[in-house]
Amino acid sequence: MRVTVDGNEAAASVAFRCSEVCCIFPITPSSPMAELADEWSSKGRTNLWGTVPAVVEMQSEGGAAGALHGALQGGALGTTFTASQGLLLMIPNMYKIAGELTSAVLHVAARSLAAQALSIFGDHSDVMAVRQTGFALLSSASVQEAHDLALVAHAATLETRVPFVHFFDGFRTSHELQTIDALDDEDVRALISDELVRAHRARALSPERPFIRGTAQNPDIYFQARETVNPFYARVPEVVQRAMDRLAERTGRAYQLVEYSGHPEAERVLVVMGSGGETARETVAFLEARGERVGVAQIRLYRPFPARELAAALPQSVRWVAVLDRTKEPGSLGEPLFLDVLAALTEAHGAGERELLPTVIGGRYGLSSKEFTPGMVAAIFEELARKQPRRRFTVGINDDVSGTSLTYDPSFDIEPAETVRAAFFGLGSDGTVGANKNTIKILGDAANLHAQGYFVYDSKKSGSQTVSHLRFGPAPIRAPYLVSAASFVGCHQFRLIEQDEVLQRAAQGATLLLNCPHPPDRVWDLLSRRVQEGILAKQIKLYAIDAGRIAREAGLAGRTNTVLQTCFFAISGVLERERAIEAIKDSIRKTYGKRGEEVVSRNIEAVDRSLAALHQVEVADRISSQLEPRELVSPDAPGFVRTVTAAMMAGHGDELPVSALPVDGTYPSGTTKYEKRNISDVVAVWDSELCIQCGNCSFVCPHSVIRSRYYDPRELERAPDGFRSAELNGAGLPDARYTLQVYVEDCTGCGLCVEACPVSAPQEPGRRAINLDDREPLLENERANIAFFERLPANDRTRVDFGTVRGTQFLEPLFEFSGACAGCGETPYLKLLSQLFGDRLTVANATGCSSIYGGSQPTTPWTVNADGHGPAWSNSLFEDNAEFGLGLRLAADRHTELARRRLSELRDVLGAELVDEILTAPQVRESELRAQRARIAELQRRLDGLDGGGEELGDLSAAPDGGALVADLRSVLDHLIRRSVWIVGGDGWAYDIGAGGLDHVLASGKNVNVLVMDTEVYSNTGGQMSKATPLGAVAKFSAAGKTVPTKDLALQAIAYADVYVARVAFGADPQQTLRAIREAEAYDGPSLIIAYSNCIAHGYDMRDGLTQQYRAVASGHWPLIRFDPAVRDAGGDPFLLDSPRPRMSLADYRRGELRFRSLEAAQPQEAERLLGLAQQVANQRWRLYEEMATRGASEFLSDPRRRS
Amino acid sequence: MDLTTRYMGLTLRNPLIASPSPLSYTLDGIRRLADGGVGAIVLFSLFEEQLRQQAAEAVRIVEEPAESFPEALSYFPSVADTDGGPRAYVDLIERAASRVDVPVIGSLNGVTPEGWIDYACAMQEAGAAAIELNIYGIAGDPAVSGREVEQRHVDVLERVKAAVTVPVAVKLSPYFSSPGEMALRLDEAGADALVLFNRFLQPDIDPEELVVLPKVNLSSPADARVAQTWIALLRGRVRASLAATSGVEVAADLARYLLAGADVVMTTSALLRHGPSYAAELIDGLSVWMRRKGFAALDEVRGLLAVPAVADPAEHERAGYVTAMRAANAGAYNPW
């Protein structure tokens, strides 16, 4: 049966049927495999033996591997799906599973490892890091292979008892949609021997036939015992080949362990593994047809390494071999596949099996999903043809540092003429990708065509762009690289047409469909000169439609997918028009049938309205436009930003040479400000007349686009026309003016500010002191206003009231314009941290949303103030963030101590009075910190004086080794300012994967501050359940509603007695949030802030984020508390309940969120039962909190910390 | 006291019916109503339009963030793709019908012809003892004629009657030029009961905040007069059962409606104010009143003060009803 699936589904479909237990943890790009398994399991789908596999989400991949190990030892057939760091976390158990000769398969969507930076994209770094564990490694190169070889792996592991890692290239294969021939249950059954399954079961731990396994061994036997397994490994290649042959018998699809294709007497050969093999094979066929004697050996079984098969596969004529590795091993002689091939050929030659010993060179390609194209394959063959080919090389990049890279022809095109290529440019939110996935299914099903789809997303969570690469053709499509020379290009957002890539991907004479909000006769003139030139040069046929209008009219505002999909079919001719329209409608009915008639009819209406609105645009034969695209970044940006960052922003990152990039992953702070993404058509606009200057809007703004300053009225003399200003509404500064400036180009239009505004216009109901309005007409003026606003002097921090929301608006945010979702509930907390403590803040950031919007290239929102001070930020891993932050604290403490010691030692030299002041200065209030900074500056001056021999201070020679003391002091001088160490992350980290570390760090007594931005779900990886997910909520892995209440992280921390703990929700009580964060920071010990963060994974319009936060608190779902050991030490009750007794039912709060509501639709009774239980949990917790809030101080353990 | 009552062919243990309210949102609430002593329960209304909009909104919420970020191509499990449609409602009927010993009546507000029919059938299938059509379209369009509005009521009723076998009641508003004629037309079209009257949720205006408030005010006894009047006028003139709704606070209000001629009396406000167990108090109060007045059965009470159907109302001073009406209205202009 033909199906159109991606590689993840292809593999999971087999894995699920061959397993009884799936232990998983979400990690990109493997998560969809686990999610599918969970979906199938929750729908009662059965495996080969008629039972429903158990799918269990663990707290980490380490946990998943442990659970898997247990399941296997219990006799179950088990599997897991993972990638990258996840696979690394499984390594200890992998040694165990393999050491015990346990049949198992791990399916891996192979991905880069975090080194100088995390990357979610595909290469073989992860699988190469487990090649030594004893697992067999089987590599699939395509979606079809991911399906077929998944089965081969499951079959072979049972027969060999050697566990398998079955892997395929992350994203390239895991996310590529392909039309494949699916294996039915009988096919699967044919390869899986029940007898072997029972043998596996018979090896399980059982008290009926007890034994012990997992012993400890001494020097006497460990070594020998390790060698016992050799025969099992020796059998693997033969068994795998047999399984492949059996598969071929049933399906006609034949695979070899090492598959050679090309000229039978080839001289130059590539050896490659994974999807690159497909590209190499097709290119070889093309070159061979041109008469070149070239070939390619694709490795499918990598461990145990099929040395004999490799030697046998290569023609004896081979004289030059290039081995391609999709990984990097700094410092090694060469990458692993290269070394293996070299050893295998050398041995074969030595043993006389091959007469010629070819020259073998090793190259790296495709790291982190870097493109690998036919042009690159051709370049490698050219290199092999050189007299002295480079021994080591890279391809696909420009390595101008070590000179390893090969040059290649990017326009080298081998694709068959009958393959239709199309590229679509859209936004994530407009539905372009979804529509294209649908198109592929339609063509795969209806037209019996072979179809391929691959989708490129950017790493922004708001306003993100997508590019869809589609191919259709009569023959299977083997082109795992992006589309070029597309005959159809869809540009689904008008502004995207200005991006170079759109026309670059178009072929000569291509058709371009442009979604444009202007009448067709105006389209041409609205294009920039460069675009017009491109269209004329390529003789492009231009069509235009106002899809936004059609969608709006059909009741699908913002979702132009159906309209543009209809247009694609209408123009492209891949299917007969009538038939295509019917197919689209059928698929609408299929997709939305279960969502109700309304949704179906709106989409059908959109289809029906589309064709009439589609127009071919008369392309003038000459350039009419004077429009030039705007400079991407302002000319006064730093050099690195103008060259490197700007190139990435423009989509030219691939062209950056090695020399352009930092060697150690260090990048400048504060680069989002150069991005000016203009992603929202509506932006916040200030009404200076109505405004009461309360600061609420800027407090809640997730993107720091609302700034306030007060200033001397004389400043206004230079103000541009239209710059808005009001009298400062505050005591103590009678004549000052106030301006609230909106950064319109960075505003995402989320509307939280409008919701937060307490003012309403007396004459105009609904109008606030801040409102959303069209961006375009404001743009020019506001640019000038912003520039002027930025020149106003920053407000003196010592004069700002840090204790009120109103006061904080005058504190400069040092976290701005992140790519987080519009209306994000996390970022306001980070912004507040940066406002309060930014100039002395160190952030350890767990992997997750916050590390992505905080640290994804090309830009970072963490920025600096006018003095150049600002948050120092780093992300270590997902699992170790608390420990990482503790390490930063320990280093700071040691260096503070060192600084103080050196300072004391140099007291007489540097001036006793100054030194004593520095050493005894309090550093809690801003004025104290300011004073300390002044002292340090003075100290710095004196140190400079010492070095320069200028100013006469004390006698340095009086201090023994004085020079070294001074150098030491200088190196840690910055630690004389009290450092604020914050450990931040989401609930996935705090409640699950990092829970052990967090618990330990909270119990350390050290002065670290932990901010848990709790969205109650894994947000970054797409809504998987965490232990913070509420009882009754629907999430991935709790599709039937979570049946376990959330753990009370606050109470756990309170149990340690010396941890400051607060639960806050800025949307419900910003003042309490502010207070808690300040108290936590001032508290000299561990602090934990659990911060409610509204999230798109909750399922409502993000504009309602504040309302939902309010309801969460008002219903008792999220009681606001503070536990302050300092209060207890002063004799008060340290447990403070900051929110009033619940005044609405949990049901009233939950009704507003899809995560709760969707269960009601699917399983009303269960929803009602879980709601009842959740209400009980809320009631009981409230009673407990109330009781705690009325205990006396003596009822709490007194401060256990040792005080000096 | 035997309070057994017939209402559109159903036998009820007493004439007090819980009308649609949040009390019937959950099985637990329905049980509490039944335990409280009511004779039947009309569930909260199923609004087709609301379901359709919710479904469209859910699609938007699920789809908009999807397929745009490489690590999260979706944010919800596929269960969120399921639009419940009337499923939760139907499921509630199903459970309620099997767990409580009083008839459970579904209440439906459709918008499309299919909606009325499909949802009504689903309710019947689930075990609804009857269906109340809550024809709650506010004829806010000044261009729509009164006749059209009336015809819509008849059409809906006919459509649903043709599709189901359980009794069908129509809950209507008092805002017809001739509510009496409307009642007769519906009676003729096959209504098994007429529920008088729907209280449109009249929004309020807040002069301070300058906003319109979609407030739901509970009814008060004063709201009962219009229904009482029309029940008295319709008693004996229609085949359909007559249900009174609005303004029940004490047992005497029940008595008033029954005297006017109601077969059953519905209340929401009293039960919301005092809790479901208040039903028993109302019923007890009714019995006490009947005993005190020497009535042995409801039949003796029902319609005692109705306007007799047989002759010119003016000639029947015994009921005193019309006289009272006239006097009241005349008095309205002469407060002294």
Side-chain angles (χ1 to χ4, degrees):
Chain A
M1 190 181 60
R2 275 159 52 93
V3 293
T4 307
V5 294
D6 64 16
N8 274 330
E9 183 169 353
S13 135
V14 170
F16 186 81
R17 284 181 278 176
C18 295
S19 299
E20 294 169 300
V21 176
C22 312
C23 307
I24 69 93
F25 185 77
I27 183 164
T28 309
S30 72
S31 310
M33 286 190 276
E35 289 166 14
L36 283 166
D38 182 53
E39 294 257 12
W40 294 331
S41 173
S42 65
K43 286 179 181 151
R45 229 168 113 168
T46 56
N47 59 20
L48 282 189
W49 304 277
T51 61
V52 179
V55 180
V56 54
E57 184 194 21
M58 296 303 295
Q59 86 284 13
S60 71
E61 290 89 349
L68 174 66
H69 185 197
L72 297 169
Q73 288 299 321
L77 297 176
T79 190
T80 183
F81 312 99
T82 196
S84 190
Q85 310 301 129
L87 190 60
L88 295 195
L89 287 180
M90 293 185 177
I91 288 177
N93 261 297
M94 291 176 74
Y95 276 98
K96 295 286 298 178
I97 291 167
E100 293 162 350
L101 284 178
T102 321
S103 300
V105 182
L106 273 58
H107 296 271
V108 175
R111 158 182 160 181
S112 307
L113 295 176
Q116 88 284 0
L118 164 153
S119 167
I120 58 169
F121 293 99
D123 62 36
H124 300 161
S125 306
D126 54 0
V127 286
M128 284 304 185
V130 301
R131 67 183 191 273
Q132 74 291 357
T133 55
F135 267 62
L137 268 66
L138 189 63
S139 165
S140 285
S142 67
V143 177
Q144 181 74 60
E145 284 188 29
H147 192 55
D148 292 341
L149 298 194
L151 178 55
V152 168
H154 279 275
T157 193
L158 285 169
E159 193 169 343
T160 59
R161 294 189 57 187
V162 171
F164 273 63
V165 166
H166 165 238
F167 71 95
F168 41 89
D169 292 350
F171 281 107
R172 187 63 252 183
T173 307
S174 68
H175 282 58
E176 178 182 307
L177 273 181
Q178 268 272 13
T179 319
I180 67 164
D181 287 317
L183 296 165
D184 62 28
D185 285 357
E186 284 315 303
D187 295 329
V188 179
R189 213 182 300 279
L191 263 78
I192 302 293
S193 152
D194 280 345
E195 202 179 316
L196 291 173
V197 171
R198 286 190 285 271
H200 171 74
R201 230 173 263 156
R203 293 190 289 269
L205 291 166
S206 163
E208 296 300 316
R209 39 177 206 291
F211 52 75
I212 62 167
R213 194 178 280 152
T215 60
Q217 296 175 348
N218 297 320
D220 54 349
I221 62 164
Y222 181 92
F223 191 172
Q224 302 94 298
R226 273 305 256 160
E227 298 298 329
T228 56
V229 298
N230 297 349
F232 290 85
Y233 285 84
R235 284 185 62 218
V236 170
E238 170 205 332
V239 171
V240 172
Q241 188 58 59
R242 232 181 12 244
M244 287 172 164
D245 295 345
R246 284 213 302 280
L247 181 80
E249 278 167 29
R250 281 196 69 88
T251 66
R253 295 187 295 277
Y255 298 101
Q256 307 292 321
L257 304 184
V258 178
E259 194 157 312
Y260 177 80
S261 69
H263 198 284
E265 288 169 10
E267 293 184 325
R268 289 169 293 151
V269 166
L270 286 189
V271 180
V272 64
M273 179 162 67
S275 64
E278 295 262 296
T279 309
R281 202 139 38 108
E282 296 291 300
T283 313
V284 160
F286 181 88
L287 295 174
E288 198 193 344
R290 282 205 324 208
E292 297 195 34
R293 286 172 62 181
V294 293
V296 55
Q298 181 189 335
I299 306 282
R300 290 213 174 81
L301 182 68
Y302 176 58
R303 283 286 181 273
F305 192 75
R308 217 171 24 160
E309 289 78 1
L310 174 73
L314 296 186
Q316 290 287 350
S317 52
V318 171
R319 300 183 57 193
W320 295 279
V321 175
V323 184
L324 287 173
D325 270 283
R326 201 163 194 166
T327 186
K328 163 87 178 162
E329 291 194 2
S332 76
L333 179 60
E335 272 63 30
L337 184 58
F338 162 71
L339 295 178
D340 290 325
V341 171
L342 185 60
L345 292 180
T346 309
E347 281 194 343
H349 173 67
E353 291 157 16
R354 291 188 68 89
E355 194 183 328
L356 279 176
L357 178 61
T359 300
V360 183
I361 66 173
R364 292 180 292 279
Y365 75 106
L367 263 66
S368 182
S369 289
K370 181 71 77 189
E371 278 282 273
F372 183 60
T373 61
M376 296 177 201
V377 175
I380 298 166
F381 282 119
E382 276 168 37
E383 184 68 22
L384 284 178
R386 280 163 49 139
K387 208 171 201 172
Q388 276 203 308
R390 269 177 269 197
R391 291 183 185 179
R392 304 288 180 275
F393 66 90
T394 57
V395 67
I397 57 169
N398 173 8
D399 177 7
D400 57 343
V401 170
S402 311
T404 60
S405 53
L406 308 183
T407 48
Y408 63 95
D409 173 9
S411 64
F412 186 78
D413 188 352
I414 62 165
E415 291 194 60
E418 62 271 23
T419 304
V420 175
R421 293 180 247 176
F424 301 84
F425 296 81
L427 294 184
S429 56
D430 67 19
T432 297
V433 170
N436 284 322
K437 287 189 170 176
N438 191 262
T439 294
I440 288 174
K441 297 208 170 178
I442 287 176
L443 288 171
D445 295 353
N448 232 17
L449 288 169
H450 287 270
Q452 179 207 43
Y454 186 72
F455 308 93
V456 178
Y457 312 88
D458 72 23
S459 57
K460 297 285 196 284
K461 288 165 184 274
S462 53
S464 78
Q465 292 180 21
T466 62
V467 187
S468 308
H469 299 258
L470 269 57
R471 288 183 176 92
F472 316 103
I477 290 157
R478 302 186 206 284
Y481 47 89
L482 302 178
V483 162
S484 59
S487 60
F488 187 96
V489 175
C491 184
H492 291 185
Q493 296 287 333
F494 186 59
R495 64 183 164 90
L496 298 184
I497 189 74
E498 296 299 332
Q499 293 189 356
D500 300 343
E501 191 186 346
V502 176
L503 291 179
Q504 273 166 11
R505 296 222 177 264
Q508 201 68 24
T511 299
L512 171 64
L513 171 64
L514 180 61
N515 174 21
C516 173
H518 305 287
D521 54 345
R522 288 203 50 219
V523 170
W524 180 251
D525 294 328
L526 289 166
L527 301 172
S528 74
R529 184 182 179 83
R530 213 179 40 185
V531 172
Q532 288 185 343
E533 281 168 359
I535 288 174
L536 291 179
K538 287 195 167 173
Q539 295 177 304
I540 282 170
K541 289 188 284 296
L542 180 61
Y543 286 83
I545 184 169
D546 183 354
R549 180 175 57 83
I550 309 291
R552 263 194 315 280
E553 287 169 0
L556 298 165
R559 302 287 290 178
T560 48
N561 46 354
T562 303
V563 177
L564 291 163
Q565 186 186 18
T566 307
C567 294
F568 164 73
F569 276 110
I571 313 170
S572 68
V574 287
L575 261 189
E576 188 201 325
R577 190 180 278 206
E578 291 307 308
R579 202 171 142 213
I581 301 282
E582 225 10 79
I584 295 173
K585 289 184 177 174
D586 276 350
S587 110
I588 286 170
R589 289 184 202 105
K590 210 154 67 186
T591 311
Y592 295 121
K594 54 183 177 171
R595 312 259 211 177
E597 187 48 39
E598 184 70 24
V599 187
V600 172
S601 61
R602 289 185 192 188
N603 278 282
I604 300 268
E605 193 183 334
V607 173
D608 289 337
R609 283 168 176 262
S610 296
L611 294 181
L614 177 64
H615 302 278
Q616 181 156 15
V617 175
E618 282 298 316
V619 172
D621 51 3
R622 56 178 187 84
I623 312 282
S624 65
S625 179
Q626 296 304 320
L627 293 173
E628 295 294 341
R630 267 179 68 83
E631 280 293 323
L632 203 54
V633 298
S634 82
D636 49 359
F640 184 86
V641 173
R642 273 184 287 116
T643 51
V644 180
T645 311
M648 288 188 265
M649 282 160 51
H652 301 310
D654 281 321
E655 292 144 41
L656 285 171
V658 172
S659 65
L661 298 173
V663 295
D664 58 358
T666 309
Y667 286 79
S669 288
T671 41
T672 46
K673 64 167 161 280
Y674 301 109
E675 231 171 352
K676 303 300 167 217
R677 299 198 300 139
N678 286 299
I679 60 169
S680 177
D681 291 338
V682 290
V683 297
V685 179
W686 180 47
D687 185 329
S688 56
E689 309 259 302
L690 277 181
C691 181
I692 57 166
Q693 304 172 14
C694 66
N696 282 356
C697 56
S698 74
F699 192 88
V700 302
C701 175
H703 292 80
S704 310
V705 305
I706 301 175
R707 311 286 179 95
S708 316
R709 273 182 191 178
Y710 62 85
Y711 46 88
D712 191 298
R714 278 168 300 186
E715 299 281 352
L716 283 174
E717 286 162 17
R718 294 171 293 124
D721 289 347
F723 183 77
R724 280 179 299 274
S725 171
E727 200 175 307
L728 177 70
N729 173 5
L733 294 159
D735 295 324
R737 303 292 297 179
Y738 169 94
T739 292
L740 184 139
Q741 182 64 49
V742 177
Y743 283 58
V744 290
E745 295 188 277
D746 304 291
C747 179
T748 64
C750 72
L752 284 191
C753 51
V754 182
E755 300 299 305
C757 180
V759 187
S760 142
Q763 307 296 325
E764 226 181 310
R767 187 173 169 78
R768 306 293 180 94
I770 196 154
N771 302 285
L772 294 183
D773 223 330
D774 287 346
R775 171 178 50 86
E776 201 53 42
L778 299 168
L779 210 50
E780 277 316 309
N781 274 345
E782 290 304 317
R783 280 190 188 127
N785 290 343
I786 291 164
F788 175 73
F789 180 81
E790 289 185 337
R791 286 197 300 271
L792 290 172
N795 294 135
D796 180 351
R797 289 172 65 87
T798 61
R799 299 195 62 176
V800 168
D801 182 359
F802 276 56
T804 61
V805 169
R806 188 188 190 85
T808 58
Q809 67 180 314
F810 299 111
L811 300 172
E812 193 182 2
L814 299 178
F815 176 89
E816 60 184 11
F817 319 141
S818 76
C821 300
C824 175
E826 294 190 355
T827 47
Y829 295 110
L830 296 174
K831 180 187 59 176
L832 184 58
L833 287 190
S834 81
Q835 286 174 299
L836 295 172
F837 325 117
D839 60 351
R840 53 194 180 86
L841 175 64
T842 303
V843 177
N845 205 137
T847 309
C849 278
S850 50
S851 75
I852 297 301
Y853 60 64
S856 264
Q857 293 295 348
T859 57
T860 176
W862 296 96
T863 188
V864 298
N865 65 15
D867 299 330
H869 299 142
W873 180 94
S874 185
N875 158 245
S876 172
L877 296 167
F878 195 6
E879 62 271 20
D880 72 343
N881 187 48
E883 300 91 315
F884 181 60
L886 179 68
L888 289 166
R889 175 81 265 167
L890 295 174
D893 289 348
R894 295 289 73 76
H895 287 169
T896 305
E897 193 187 312
L898 180 65
R900 294 173 68 89
R901 183 181 299 269
R902 291 292 176 266
L903 199 56
S904 304
E905 287 162 354
L906 292 165
R907 182 168 181 266
D908 295 337
V909 181
L910 293 166
E913 196 181 339
L914 178 66
V915 167
D916 290 348
E917 270 178 18
I918 291 175
L919 291 178
T920 58
Q923 296 189 53
V924 177
R925 308 177 71 84
E926 193 65 19
S927 53
E928 295 162 351
L929 285 156
R930 166 73 70 91
Q932 182 77 338
R933 279 206 186 276
R935 289 181 208 109
I936 308 281
E938 170 60 18
L939 179 65
Q940 180 87 49
R941 210 174 52 77
R942 294 188 189 181
L943 287 169
D944 291 349
L946 286 179
D947 287 353
E951 238 170 289
E952 208 47 46
L953 290 164
D955 186 1
L956 189 57
S957 59
D961 203 12
L965 292 181
V966 169
D968 253 8
L969 177 57
R970 279 180 171 286
S971 70
V972 289
L973 202 60
D974 52 340
H975 285 279
L976 291 170
I977 297 288
R978 184 167 69 86
R979 191 158 290 194
S980 193
V981 175
W982 283 81
I983 296 168
V984 309
D987 50 289
W989 158 69
Y991 286 72
D992 290 355
I993 194 169
L998 173 62
D999 177 57
H1000 199 80
V1001 168
L1002 288 176
S1004 72
K1006 301 294 180 198
N1007 186 9
V1008 291
N1009 307 292
V1010 179
L1011 173 66
V1012 179
M1013 294 179 291
D1014 192 346
T1015 60
E1016 305 185 321
V1017 73
Y1018 286 79
S1019 301
N1020 192 51
T1021 45
Q1024 296 85 0
M1025 167 184 72
S1026 81
K1027 284 200 285 296
T1029 300
L1031 176 68
V1034 157
K1036 291 173 183 167
F1037 303 103
S1038 66
K1042 186 156 172 263
T1043 53
V1044 178
T1046 309
K1047 83 171 157 190
D1048 197 329
L1049 195 58
L1051 283 187
Q1052 286 186 348
I1054 287 170
Y1056 288 126
D1058 70 336
V1059 181
Y1060 177 94
V1061 182
R1063 194 185 284 121
V1064 304
F1066 76 90
D1069 188 346
Q1071 196 60 45
Q1072 190 254 1
T1073 299
L1074 174 62
R1075 187 167 182 178
I1077 287 181
R1078 293 183 68 224
E1079 286 175 352
E1081 204 273 342
Y1083 178 69
D1084 185 16
S1087 309
L1088 171 67
I1089 306 264
I1090 309 165
Y1092 190 85
S1093 305
N1094 49 283
C1095 178
I1096 43 169
H1098 294 174
Y1100 48 81
D1101 192 325
M1102 285 301 274
R1103 194 168 162 156
D1104 297 331
L1106 303 177
T1107 311
Q1108 282 309 109
Q1109 283 204 27
Y1110 167 80
R1111 288 182 177 165
V1113 173
S1115 63
H1117 170 73
W1118 192 267
L1120 303 180
I1121 59 167
R1122 282 175 296 140
F1123 175 82
D1124 189 348
V1127 173
R1128 174 202 52 207
D1129 297 348
D1133 184 336
F1135 190 94
L1136 303 151
L1137 196 38
D1138 288 331
S1139 50
R1141 194 172 277 191
R1143 50 204 182 281
M1144 66 165 65
S1145 71
L1146 210 53
D1148 283 340
Y1149 153 60
R1150 291 188 163 200
R1151 201 164 294 130
E1153 306 195 357
L1154 191 67
R1155 59 178 169 152
F1156 298 116
R1157 222 172 41 226
S1158 58
L1159 188 63
E1160 216 171 280
Q1163 299 178 44
Q1165 296 188 37
E1166 182 62 358
E1168 198 177 310
R1169 184 181 79 89
L1170 294 177
L1171 176 64
L1173 290 172
Q1175 184 67 62
Q1176 262 183 40
V1177 170
N1179 295 347
Q1180 284 169 10
R1181 188 170 56 168
W1182 185 264
R1183 281 198 295 275
L1184 174 64
Y1185 283 7
E1186 260 186 347
E1187 185 272 318
M1188 289 176 76
T1190 52
R1191 287 180 197 168
S1194 60
E1195 297 297 310
F1196 291 91
L1197 183 63
S1198 53
D1199 191 349
R1201 283 174 301 164
R1202 202 174 289 120
R1203 297 288 182 186
S1204 50
Chain B
M1 181 81 63
D2 179 18
L3 296 177
T4 310
T5 298
R6 296 280 292 170
Y7 174 55
M8 54 172 163
L10 308 172
T11 303
L12 313 186
R13 63 186 177 190
N14 65 53
L16 183 66
I17 294 182
S19 48
S21 82
L23 291 169
S24 54
Y25 280 170
T26 61
L27 180 60
D28 182 52
I30 295 169
R31 272 190 182 139
R32 285 169 60 212
L33 285 169
D35 294 347
V38 294
I41 297 163
V42 186
L43 293 194
F44 69 97
S45 269
L46 176 67
F47 283 83
E48 184 193 0
E49 190 168 18
Q50 202 177 325
L51 287 181
R52 291 171 73 106
Q53 272 168 2
Q54 255 179 22
E57 177 67 4
V59 169
R60 196 179 66 78
I61 285 169
V62 168
E63 287 193 345
E64 214 167 79
E67 304 284 1
S68 58
F69 179 66
E71 299 213 62
L73 300 182
S74 69
Y75 287 90
F76 297 93
S78 70
V79 57
D81 296 351
T82 315
D83 163 47
R87 175 151 174 211
Y89 191 90
V90 166
D91 179 82
L92 187 64
I93 293 186
E94 202 170 292
R95 284 184 293 152
S98 62
R99 311 255 175 96
V100 298
D101 53 5
V102 295
V104 173
I105 299 167
S107 169
L108 172 59
N109 180 299
V111 275
T112 62
E114 311 84 64
W116 284 107
I117 294 169
D118 295 351
Y119 293 2
C121 290
M123 288 182 185
Q124 167 173 295
E125 186 89 354
I131 291 165
E132 185 173 295
L133 303 178
N134 179 10
I135 307 182
Y136 184 91
I138 296 175
D141 180 355
V144 175
S145 76
R147 248 341 189 204
E148 278 175 68
V149 174
E150 291 168 13
Q151 190 57 42
R152 203 174 105 74
H153 282 66
V154 174
D155 289 347
V156 166
L157 173 65
E158 282 177 344
R159 232 178 258 134
V160 175
K161 274 300 284 182
V164 299
T165 55
V166 292
V168 178
V170 180
K171 188 169 185 173
L172 56 163
S173 90
Y175 308 122
F176 292 96
S177 294
S178 175
E181 195 232 2
M182 188 68 237
L184 294 179
R185 284 183 69 190
L186 290 169
D187 186 49
E188 201 168 308
D192 296 290
L194 299 173
V195 184
L196 311 178
F197 284 113
N198 213 336
R199 294 175 63 241
F200 286 146
L201 308 178
Q202 295 140 343
D204 198 0
I205 283 177
D206 181 335
E208 280 310 312
E209 297 290 324
L210 304 184
V211 285
V212 176
L213 302 171
K215 254 196 199 156
V216 184
N217 289 318
L218 297 182
S219 71
S220 63
D223 296 322
R225 303 290 175 76
V226 179
Q228 218 169 277
T229 306
W230 278 106
I231 285 170
L233 285 167
L234 289 172
R235 176 84 198 169
R237 290 184 170 77
V238 290
R239 184 195 44 82
S241 301
L242 290 172
T245 181
S246 288
V248 175
E249 177 60 25
V250 293
D253 299 326
L254 243 83
R256 282 192 186 94
Y257 271 134
L258 292 169
L259 286 167
D263 292 293
V264 294
V265 181
M266 298 184 173
T267 179
T268 286
S269 301
L271 301 181
L272 279 172
R273 276 193 205 102
H274 308 291
S277 59
Y278 186 63
E281 270 182 59
L282 289 174
I283 294 298
D284 287 350
L286 180 65
S287 299
V288 169
W289 172 81
M290 283 170 67
R291 263 195 293 276
R292 187 157 58 80
K293 290 290 172 188
F295 294 118
L298 278 175
D299 286 348
E300 296 172 24
V301 178
R302 206 171 266 124
L304 192 62
L305 298 180
V307 178
V310 285
D312 177 2
E315 289 173 18
H316 290 263
E317 298 280 319
R318 179 178 64 81
Y321 212 97
V322 176
T323 313
M325 270 199 294
R326 284 187 183 139
N329 288 329
Y333 297 101
N334 182 13
W336 295 283

